[in-house]
């Protein structure tokens, strides 16, 4: 699950990838919905050291749905959404960042998810 075009370009043909039009909170909401359907988180929803209100990009890896609700995944995604809700929308600086800064945020997100899932696809 991603809203990062760099991630979609590299992994779109290598694995099942859902692309979300929207911000990082939109991605987390979609991830939460998949967790409720029985998917398990493979990466932490707030991976990296970039504050959630500073980056417009988010990529999260999940496994195939087992049909069983994974309570640990549910707790993690709900906690991540709660962290994001602590920042009112006007404090989501990354959404309106200049193009070069957005490119940097996209690269950080890409490298985080690439490091987590690329080895699994080889």
């Amino acid at each position: 699950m991603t809203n990062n075009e760099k991630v979609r370009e590299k992994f779109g043909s290598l694995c099942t990838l859902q692309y979300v039009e929207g911000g990082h909170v939109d991605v987390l909401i979609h991830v939460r919905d998949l967790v409720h359907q029985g998917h398990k988180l493979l990466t932490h929803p707030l991976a990296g050291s970039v504050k959630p209100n500073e980056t417009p990009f988010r990529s999260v890896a999940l496994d195939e749905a087992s049909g069983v609700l994974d309570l640990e995944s549910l707790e993690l995604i709900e906690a991540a959404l709660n962290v994001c809700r602590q920042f009112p929308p006007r404090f989501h600086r990354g959404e309106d960042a200049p193009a070069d800064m957005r490119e940097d945020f996209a690269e950080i997100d890409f490298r985080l998810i690439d490091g987590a899932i690329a080895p699994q696809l080889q």
Side-chain angles (χ1 to χ4, degrees), residues 32 35-36 41 69-79:
R32 182 203 53 207
V35 167
H36 278 283
L41 292 172
L69 179 61
D70 181 69
L71 294 178
E72 184 177 349
S73 292
L74 182 60
E75 288 174 11
L76 281 171
I77 192 61
E78 290 293 350

Side-chain angles (χ1 to χ4, degrees), residues 11-59:
F11 294 107
S13 63
L14 300 175
C15 60
T16 303
L17 184 136
Q18 291 186 27
Y19 185 79
V20 175
E21 295 286 342
H24 69 279
V25 173
D26 297 309
V27 172
L28 296 179
I29 290 168
H30 284 304
V31 168
R32 182 203 53 207
D33 294 346
L34 290 176
V35 167
H36 278 283
Q37 294 172 22
H39 292 268
K40 182 178 178 180
L41 292 172
L42 298 176
T43 59
H44 194 283
L46 295 180
S49 60
V50 180
K51 293 178 185 173
N53 68 316
E54 292 181 347
T55 182
F57 300 104
R58 183 69 53 200
S59 299

